[in-house]
């Protein structure tokens, strides 16, 4: 299978700061990749490099194109939502549709109108008259109406209430996603997208800390909830992270067979947020 | 390329409604002034005298007088157009960064070159064309208004107005003037676009600063005024009227005016279009405009907006 996005030793510096530091990864077609990292980890810079909005060192190929030098061609097959505030506030919904119809070869106006007809957004409304949630709905509708191969979402639901956030992701899956399309998504609300993802990539201080399919997490990572006494007994299996919860120890293991931990406490697969903390803090310890 | 350029130009017209609104406001003022100006004439005899006077004028003189009225009507539009062009150019690449919509505009398949080109085309072509159409409408409305008064007082509007106005000459000259002005002032437009692309705040202040400060600095440091003269000449002395010295008309008296009138004055004949288009200063200015526009494209492409 050929990669939709292929990065080899990609770096980007701002002065002395290496925002993205020698990163390599591949994203295949039909996947939903969650890019997770703390503020300033380099997520947005990496996404900008993928979108051709910033130049970088190393080799980066998106849909077989050099994103920075072939951005126009790339943008015919990529959509992105940077955050809810980027649609121009002065534009009318009908003008937005007119504009995209005339400039975007893969935009289907009828599809956008069909999607918008199930919302409260009127075609003669200006973006500035819409609520934050409605602007996001509008943005997602027009992007869904573009037959693009890759969708990049950078904190798409920031500032939205829980109902709009849930609706956004439901619409994303129902209306946009299929096996021909690929999504890269970053968000701080990891728990809300955990069930959508097929792959996850952790990034910290500009470096990739973890890059794995979701289905492999259960095979490679296990969390043990144990008494302090039992926890001491399995320390030789070198947990990557440990913490205390309600007087019990929680140990996270990588590459350890669950059989070896049986009988020492409760075993479970860590959720993404816990795994992220384990990988980032564990590496720092 | 052409299709995307048309879409981008439509975007400019949607976003910058002042492109229509400013000349329309000038038009409304001019038309209302012509209406109220005549309504306030309380002595209808004055109108009658005017009609008689106009009827007795030689045809050339009547043509010249009417052409003068049209030029008088057009002048505020030209002034307003230049003010509009300044503010449009300064806002064109600044507003999208200010409201962060640049991230949306950069998500669509068109290059920074195409986007900046659409701003430049709007400044040098679209604004003059919109202004031109509204000038013509204003001319027609004001002449219609005058005609109604003439008809009301028993004169012949066809004879006094419509058959006498040198429409083709006047409108062609106006059209040439409106297109020539932004070309001649293009170094300023390029500079404004560049400022609009890079400044984080107060584009007008940033753009005006070197225009004001550089001549001052030169005067203080070197005692010369090359920059000031260059800017002044560029601002006021467009070589489109190379064959005409404005001062001649003022100081050569009635004889000269009469001669001009008898010569069946044509506005177009006062223009030296060939001389204008072959003027080295014009082309140097266009090169400067091109360099500033290229710099604006570079800044838009490489600047990190996060």
């Amino acid at each position: 299978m050929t990669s939709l996005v292929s990065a080899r030793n990609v770096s980007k510096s701002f002065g002395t700061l290496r925002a993205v530091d020698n990163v390599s990864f591949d994203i295949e077609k039909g996947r939903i990749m969650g890019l997770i990292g703390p503020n300033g980890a380099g997520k947005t810079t990496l996404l900008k490099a993928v979108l051709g909005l910033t130049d970088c060192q190393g080799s980066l190929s998106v849909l077989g194109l050099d994103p920075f030098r072939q951005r126009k061609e790339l943008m015919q097959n990529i959509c992105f939502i940077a955050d809810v505030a980027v649609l121009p506030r002065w534009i009318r919904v009908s003008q937005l549709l007119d504009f995209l119809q005339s400039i975007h070869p893969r935009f289907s106006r009828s599809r956008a109108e069909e999607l918008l007809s199930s919302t409260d957004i009127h075609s003669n409304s200006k973006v500035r008259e819409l609520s934050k949630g409605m602007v996001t709905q509008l943005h997602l509708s027009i992007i869904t109406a573009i037959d693009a191969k890759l969708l990049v979402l950078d904190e798409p639901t920031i500032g939205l209430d829980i109902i709009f956030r849930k609706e956004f992701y439901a619409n994303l899956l129902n209306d946009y996603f299929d096996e021909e399309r690929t999504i890269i998504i970053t968000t701080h609300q990891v728990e809300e997208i955990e069930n959508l993802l097929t792959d996850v990539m952790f990034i910290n201080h500009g470096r990739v800390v973890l890059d794995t399919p979701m289905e492999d997490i259960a095979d490679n990572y296990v969390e043990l909830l144990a008494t302090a006494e039992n926890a001491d007994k399995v320390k030789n299996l070198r947990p990557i992270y440990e913490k205390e919860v309600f007087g019990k120890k929680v140990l996270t293991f990588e590459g350890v067979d669950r059989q070896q931990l049986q009988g020492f406490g409760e075993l479970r697969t860590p959720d993404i947020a816990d795994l992220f903390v384990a990988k980032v803090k564990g590496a720092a310890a | 390329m052409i299709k995307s350029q048309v879409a981008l130009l439509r975007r400019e017209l949607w976003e910058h409604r002042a492109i229509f609104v400013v000349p329309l406001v000038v038009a409304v003022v001019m038309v209302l002034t012509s209406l109220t100006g005549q309504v306030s004439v309380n002595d209808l005899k004055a109108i009658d005298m005017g009609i008689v006077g106009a009827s007795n004028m030689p045809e050339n003189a009547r043509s010249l007088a009417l052409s003068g009225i049209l030029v008088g009507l057009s002048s505020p539009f030209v002034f307003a157009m230049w003010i509009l062009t300044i503010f449009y150019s300064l806002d064109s690449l600044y507003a999208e960064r200010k409201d962060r919509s640049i991230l949306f505009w950069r998500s669509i398949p068109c290059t920074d070159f195409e986007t900046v080109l659409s701003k430049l085309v709007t400044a040098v072509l679209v604004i003059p064309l919109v202004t031109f159409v509204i000038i013509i409408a204003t001319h027609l409305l004001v002449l219609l208004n005058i005609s109604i008064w003439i008809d009301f007082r028993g004169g012949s509007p066809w004879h006094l107005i419509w058959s006498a106005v040198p429409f083709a000459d006047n409108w062609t000259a106006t059209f040439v003037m409106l297109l020539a002005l932004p070309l001649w002032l293009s170094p300023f437009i390029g500079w404004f676009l560049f400022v609009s692309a890079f400044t984080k705040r107060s584009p007008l202040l940033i753009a005006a600063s070197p225009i004001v400060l550089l001549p001052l600095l030169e005067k203080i440091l070197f005692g010369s005024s090359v920059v000031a003269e260059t800017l002044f000449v560029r601002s006021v002395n467009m070589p489109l009227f190379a064959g005409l010295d404005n001062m001649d008309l003022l100081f050569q008296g009635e004889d000269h005016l009469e001669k001009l009138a008898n010569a069946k004055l044509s506005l177009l004949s006062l223009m030296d279009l060939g001389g204008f288009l072959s003027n080295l200063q014009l082309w140097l200015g266009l090169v400067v405009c091109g360099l500033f526009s290229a710099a604006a494209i570079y800044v838009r492409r490489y600047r990190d907006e996060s």
Side-chain angles (χ1 to χ4, degrees):
Chain A
M1 189 187 282
T2 53
S3 298
L4 204 75
V5 181
S6 175
R8 293 288 170 272
N9 309 112
V10 169
S11 297
K12 173 74 186 178
S13 299
F14 297 102
T16 54
L17 174 77
R18 271 177 102 76
V20 176
D21 191 3
N22 215 24
V23 164
S24 298
F25 62 91
D26 290 285
I27 302 174
E28 311 294 343
K29 189 170 80 172
R31 312 295 289 183
I32 304 180
M33 160 74 83
L35 185 60
I36 315 291
N39 289 335
K43 303 186 298 289
T44 299
T45 306
L46 186 57
L47 287 187
K48 282 187 169 176
V50 169
L51 293 166
L53 293 173
T54 187
D55 205 358
C56 60
Q57 289 104 46
S59 158
L60 181 61
S61 158
V62 181
L63 300 164
L65 300 166
D66 176 333
F68 190 68
R69 274 151 202 93
Q70 294 171 284
R71 198 171 65 81
K72 183 176 177 179
E73 293 90 324
L74 189 70
M75 283 302 137
Q76 294 187 2
N77 282 300
I78 285 194
C79 288
F80 71 89
I81 301 182
D83 66 36
V84 293
V86 299
L87 284 181
R89 290 170 54 75
W90 53 264
I91 206 165
R92 285 186 195 282
V93 175
S94 56
Q95 290 173 337
L96 193 57
L97 301 186
D98 285 348
F99 180 76
L100 286 167
Q101 189 179 15
S102 53
I103 209 160
H104 207 305
R106 293 176 175 272
F107 177 72
S108 160
R109 190 190 181 111
S110 55
R111 176 84 174 115
E113 282 171 340
E114 181 194 325
L115 291 164
L116 287 172
S117 65
S118 60
T119 70
D120 294 329
I121 299 166
H122 303 294
S123 68
N124 61 346
S125 299
K126 284 190 174 177
V127 167
R128 72 160 67 93
E129 295 160 1
L130 303 176
S131 70
K132 253 186 168 181
M134 288 161 100
V135 175
T136 312
Q137 266 183 331
L138 171 62
H139 207 161
L140 187 61
S141 299
I142 59 172
I143 271 169
T144 305
I146 293 171
D147 182 22
K149 294 192 176 97
L150 177 63
L151 173 61
V152 176
L153 303 169
D154 186 9
E155 298 286 355
T157 56
I158 206 162
L160 294 185
D161 63 36
I162 181 77
I163 295 173
F164 267 118
R165 293 206 301 266
K166 291 277 182 197
E167 214 170 290
F168 178 89
Y169 291 118
N171 291 343
L172 187 67
L173 279 188
N174 295 335
D175 298 331
Y176 178 81
F177 187 66
D178 60 38
E179 66 276 10
E180 291 299 314
R181 291 173 153 187
T182 305
I183 300 175
I184 306 176
I185 183 165
T186 76
T187 177
H188 281 99
Q189 283 134 352
V190 185
E191 60 287 351
E192 287 181 16
I193 61 161
E194 186 162 1
N195 298 328
L196 308 180
L197 302 180
T198 61
D199 297 81
V200 67
M201 186 157 86
F202 293 164
I203 183 166
N204 193 34
H205 299 307
R207 289 171 176 266
V208 173
V209 182
L210 176 73
D211 178 11
T212 180
M214 288 294 283
E215 64 260 28
D216 289 358
I217 288 179
D219 294 340
N220 293 329
Y221 296 92
V222 61
E223 226 174 49
L224 172 71
L225 182 68
T227 60
E229 193 186 338
N230 278 348
D232 283 342
K233 291 178 187 168
V234 291
K235 281 273 176 74
N236 60 330
L237 294 173
R238 303 181 68 179
I240 57 169
Y241 182 63
E242 67 175 89
K243 64 180 178 182
E244 248 185 71
V245 178
F246 301 125
K248 285 199 163 185
K249 293 272 188 181
V250 179
L251 290 84
T252 311
F253 295 89
E254 180 178 359
V256 173
D257 193 336
R258 287 179 187 231
Q259 293 295 335
Q260 293 180 270
L261 298 168
Q262 286 290 359
F264 291 100
E266 189 186 330
L267 293 177
R268 65 186 180 202
T269 302
D271 61 31
I272 289 189
D274 288 338
L275 186 57
F276 178 74
V277 172
K279 290 293 285 184
V280 170
K281 285 202 167 176
Chain B
M1 172 83 176
I2 289 174
K3 202 178 165 202
S4 59
Q5 205 48 221
V6 170
L8 288 168
L9 291 174
R10 281 177 79 196
R11 172 209 155 172
E12 295 308 308
L13 292 173
W14 290 332
E15 183 175 0
H16 301 275
R17 291 174 60 207
I19 293 171
F20 294 107
V21 172
V22 168
L24 277 175
V25 167
V26 176
V28 167
V29 170
M30 303 302 277
V31 172
L32 283 181
T33 307
S34 89
L35 281 174
T36 55
Q38 292 182 39
V39 170
S40 68
V41 175
N42 50 17
D43 185 1
L44 289 174
K45 274 189 184 165
I47 297 175
D48 296 343
M49 294 279 283
I51 293 172
V52 172
S55 304
N56 292 332
M57 277 172 121
E59 197 183 318
N60 285 349
R62 195 160 60 239
S63 258
L64 178 64
L66 285 165
S67 208
I69 290 175
L70 297 193
V71 169
L73 286 170
S74 304
S75 305
F77 285 96
V78 178
F79 179 73
M81 183 184 88
W82 179 233
I83 301 292
L84 171 67
T85 305
I86 292 173
F87 282 93
Y88 165 78
S89 310
L90 286 171
D91 196 54
S92 59
L93 292 162
Y94 175 71
E96 63 178 14
R97 291 187 294 118
K98 200 175 161 195
D99 68 5
R100 296 196 68 213
S101 62
I102 187 170
L103 289 171
F104 169 73
W105 298 115
R106 296 194 75 192
S107 76
I108 52 166
C110 70
T111 60
D112 297 288
F113 168 77
E114 287 170 326
T115 304
V116 173
L117 180 67
S118 73
K119 314 276 180 184
L120 190 60
V121 169
T122 301
V124 299
L125 195 62
V126 175
I127 291 178
L129 288 179
V130 171
T131 304
F132 177 68
V133 170
I134 296 175
I135 284 178
I136 288 185
T138 308
H139 283 176
L140 292 174
L141 281 172
V142 170
L143 291 178
L144 184 69
N145 178 37
I146 297 173
S147 300
I148 291 170
W149 275 98
I150 291 173
D151 191 50
F152 175 62
R153 298 306 298 166
S156 163
W158 173 253
H159 177 64
L160 293 178
I161 304 286
W162 299 99
S163 67
V165 180
F167 284 114
D169 173 65
N170 194 290
W171 288 348
T172 311
T174 305
F175 188 69
V176 171
M177 170 72 187
L178 290 175
L179 289 180
L181 186 72
L183 289 182
W184 177 244
L185 296 172
S186 64
F188 291 110
I189 295 174
W191 165 244
F192 296 151
L193 282 178
F194 176 52
V195 170
S196 170
F198 79 76
T199 188
K200 285 195 167 171
R201 56 188 68 86
S202 315
L204 181 61
L205 188 68
I206 302 293
S209 300
I211 296 173
V212 175
L213 292 179
L214 279 179
L216 270 177
L217 272 177
E218 188 198 355
K219 192 78 185 166
I220 292 165
L221 293 177
F222 308 108
S224 57
S225 51
V226 177
V227 177
E229 279 168 24
T230 308
L231 290 174
F232 181 76
V233 166
R234 178 64 65 170
S235 302
V236 300
N237 201 10
M238 186 164 70
L240 183 61
F241 301 102
L244 176 75
D245 186 337
N246 296 340
M247 295 298 117
D248 279 357
L249 287 174
L250 289 177
F251 296 115
Q252 293 203 3
E254 282 183 18
D255 286 355
H256 184 68
L257 283 176
E258 202 175 314
K259 258 190 248 166
L260 279 175
N262 289 334
K264 195 165 172 104
L265 181 69
S266 147
L267 285 181
L268 266 179
S269 70
L270 295 177
M271 292 181 172
D272 179 11
L273 192 55
F276 177 70
L277 290 176
S278 58
N279 186 294
L280 182 64
Q281 293 295 322
L282 171 72
W283 291 99
L284 282 176
L286 289 172
V287 168
V288 171
C289 175
L291 291 174
F292 277 133
S293 302
I297 294 167
Y298 181 87
V299 169
R300 193 177 191 270
R301 181 158 160 76
Y302 284 89
R303 187 190 181 106
D304 186 1
E305 295 297 339
S306 57

